[in-house]
Amino acid sequence: MQQSIFENINKIPVRTYKWLQVNDITLKNIEVPEIKPYKKDYLPSSSNLGVTVQSSLNNIKFLNYNKDFEYGVGDELTKMSELSSNCGMVVQSVNGIQLTEPIVAEFTADKDNEAIVDSNLIIAEENSSFTVVLQYKSEKDIEAFHNGMTKIYAKAGSRVNVIKIQTLNNESNHFDASFAIVEGNAEVNIVSIELGAKNSITSSHTYLVGDNAAAHADTMYLGSGKRYIDMNYVMSHRGRRSRGNILTKGVLLDQCEKIFRGTIDFQKGAVRSKGREEEYCMLLSPKAKSDAVPLLLCEEDDVEGEHAASAGRIDESQLFYLMSRGFDEKEAKRIFIEASFAPILDKIPIDSLRDNIKSDIKGRIENE
């Protein structure tokens, strides 16, 4: 392993006062294992008619994006995922296909696969609709390293749902980026479940380039121990009558720290567009720390933008009510947490995955 320093990553689009220490982050002494070939079988079955799934290692088909688009957690990490990946896939539909069964890929770190560096490309052809689920796991007793990039191209009239579930152990490092281009009358929905990793650093950049384009970026996170969680989400409106929403819900335990940066950017030409961002954080420890930077940028007059951020503790009277009904304190807290996460959990189309997430949440609360 080698120790690396990742400087000035997850930069906010417009910088604020330096003394607030929220413009970006620098992580030191990050253990990066040697990036060896990933030896596990992660490609999902390609039995779904109308969708092809291939390894990205043998099919370099990344789109030729121009310099107008920015994406990624940081330059060094982005180059690593694009040029030195050891796994990943290309998913491409045909015109008009409507799939109800999700495409599921699972990446697991173990002693033989300590580094997961995946580069994924998802292309939805016109008027197609499908769901892709990406799971990131790790075995116990290893310090895993994950650095991923997922690029999504939704052509006119298509609908793509991408669900990312991260449950790495608390000794691992997790870096993950999503990048989406959404054409006219298309829709991209990205759901992120962040439950693990010592350092969880994520970014999402979505560009609504076509008229009537729509996108949703929904995230739920649970922080425990001394974990550090850093999120940077940007929703860029370029087409007319575009709709973009960012929703983040989280819970912090113990001495966990979190920064959320959310940006709604109305660019010239995005007339009659609507954007909304919300971030809600529940603090279950007096030592937990939550920072939020909701940002609205606007170059167009005829738009609607809203933003909100809040952090607070569980209502003691409500907690007492549940405990008076026979629940112990941790069980009562779990009920509150699951109720808070329900709107996002309900967007996961597989019952077993939802059950596994609830079980993981329960285990982390019990170990509080």
Side-chain angles (χ1 to χ4, degrees):
M1 285 194 181
Q2 66 176 16
Q3 290 191 340
S4 296
I5 299 175
F6 298 116
E7 295 184 306
N8 307 122
I9 59 178
N10 253 5
K11 294 179 181 178
I12 196 170
V14 176
R15 302 180 75 79
T16 184
Y17 296 109
K18 186 176 181 180
W19 59 268
L20 293 173
Q21 299 182 342
V22 295
N23 288 321
D24 52 41
I25 59 165
T26 293
L27 294 178
K28 301 179 180 180
N29 302 321
I30 300 298
E31 297 285 349
V32 180
E34 180 184 355
I35 302 175
K36 301 177 181 179
Y38 185 73
K39 299 177 182 178
K40 289 181 172 291
D41 182 16
Y42 61 89
L43 287 177
S45 170
S46 57
S47 60
N48 292 312
L49 297 178
V51 174
T52 59
V53 180
Q54 304 175 66
S55 170
S56 61
L57 302 181
N58 302 320
N59 296 274
I60 305 301
K61 299 166 64 176
F62 290 113
L63 303 176
N64 184 24
Y65 303 119
N66 60 43
K67 295 181 180 180
D68 290 338
F69 300 112
E70 295 183 2
Y71 59 92
V73 172
D75 291 342
E76 183 179 354
L77 289 158
T78 299
K79 289 178 181 177
M80 182 192 298
S81 64
E82 292 183 337
L83 303 178
S84 303
S85 61
N86 61 2
C87 55
M89 61 184 185
V90 177
V91 180
Q92 185 170 15
S93 67
V94 299
N95 288 349
I97 191 69
Q98 306 287 313
L99 286 185
T100 57
E101 182 181 350
I103 300 164
V104 181
E106 181 178 305
F107 303 87
T108 302
D110 57 24
K111 292 181 179 180
D112 296 323
N113 301 276
E114 294 181 323
I116 300 174
V117 182
D118 59 315
S119 197
N120 306 296
L121 175 62
I122 299 171
I123 303 174
E125 297 293 345
E126 294 185 3
N127 300 311
S128 63
S129 175
F130 59 93
T131 297
V132 177
V133 179
L134 304 173
Q135 300 183 70
Y136 301 98
K137 305 177 179 180
S138 66
E139 293 184 351
K140 298 179 180 179
D141 303 324
I142 68 165
E143 188 171 338
F145 175 85
H146 170 244
N147 177 27
M149 169 67 70
T150 302
K151 297 178 180 178
I152 306 161
Y153 187 18
K155 296 186 180 182
S158 65
R159 178 187 174 97
V160 185
N161 304 308
V162 177
I163 299 170
K164 296 185 174 184
I165 304 172
Q166 184 268 117
T167 56
L168 299 173
N169 66 45
N170 289 343
E171 300 301 319
S172 300
N173 290 294
H174 169 70
F175 302 89
D176 190 79
S178 299
F179 168 42
I181 295 178
V182 191
E183 291 189 349
N185 297 302
E187 180 176 340
V188 169
N189 301 302
I190 302 175
V191 177
S192 300
I193 312 296
E194 297 291 333
L195 300 181
K198 174 171 56 179
N199 294 296
S200 176
I201 318 298
T202 58
S203 76
S204 177
H205 291 72
T206 302
Y207 293 88
L208 303 166
V209 300
D211 295 347
N212 301 303
H216 299 264
D218 298 324
T219 298
M220 54 171 274
Y221 61 86
L222 176 64
S224 57
K226 295 183 178 180
R227 293 180 57 220
Y228 180 75
I229 301 170
D230 192 290
M231 297 167 283
N232 184 33
Y233 293 172
V234 180
M235 192 76 68
S236 181
H237 296 256
R238 299 189 177 188
R240 296 175 295 177
R241 300 179 299 278
S242 58
R243 294 171 289 115
N245 296 294
I246 299 171
L247 174 62
T248 304
K249 292 195 171 190
V251 174
L252 300 182
L253 307 164
D254 305 320
Q255 301 177 55
C256 186
E257 296 184 21
K258 177 232 75 181
I259 293 181
F260 167 78
R261 305 174 190 85
T263 303
I264 301 292
D265 184 8
F266 296 106
Q267 299 192 1
K268 195 67 178 178
V271 294
R272 299 183 181 178
S273 293
K274 297 181 180 181
R276 180 179 178 85
E277 60 174 311
E278 303 170 82
E279 203 268 339
Y280 302 102
C281 181
M282 187 184 301
L283 301 172
L284 297 185
S285 168
K287 296 181 180 180
K289 181 181 178 183
S290 171
D291 288 319
V293 189
L295 185 64
L296 284 177
L297 305 177
C298 190
E299 296 179 350
E300 188 58 70
D301 294 329
D302 188 9
V303 296
E304 295 181 25
E306 301 178 56
H307 65 112
S310 66
R313 306 190 186 283
I314 291 178
D315 187 298
E316 292 295 333
S317 62
Q318 293 178 338
L319 186 63
F320 176 78
Y321 175 81
L322 284 179
M323 294 176 65
S324 69
R325 293 299 183 271
F327 298 100
D328 62 29
E329 183 177 0
K330 290 185 177 180
E331 191 69 10
K333 287 181 179 179
R334 183 186 63 80
I335 293 172
F336 272 103
I337 292 170
E338 288 189 0
S340 175
F341 288 162
I344 296 177
L345 279 175
D346 288 345
K347 296 185 179 183
I348 298 176
I350 305 173
D351 292 341
S352 60
L353 285 181
R354 288 198 301 271
D355 292 340
N356 289 341
I357 291 170
K358 291 179 181 179
S359 177
D360 191 284
I361 291 172
K362 182 179 179 180
R364 293 175 189 272
I365 294 174
E366 289 177 348
N367 293 327
E368 178 189 356

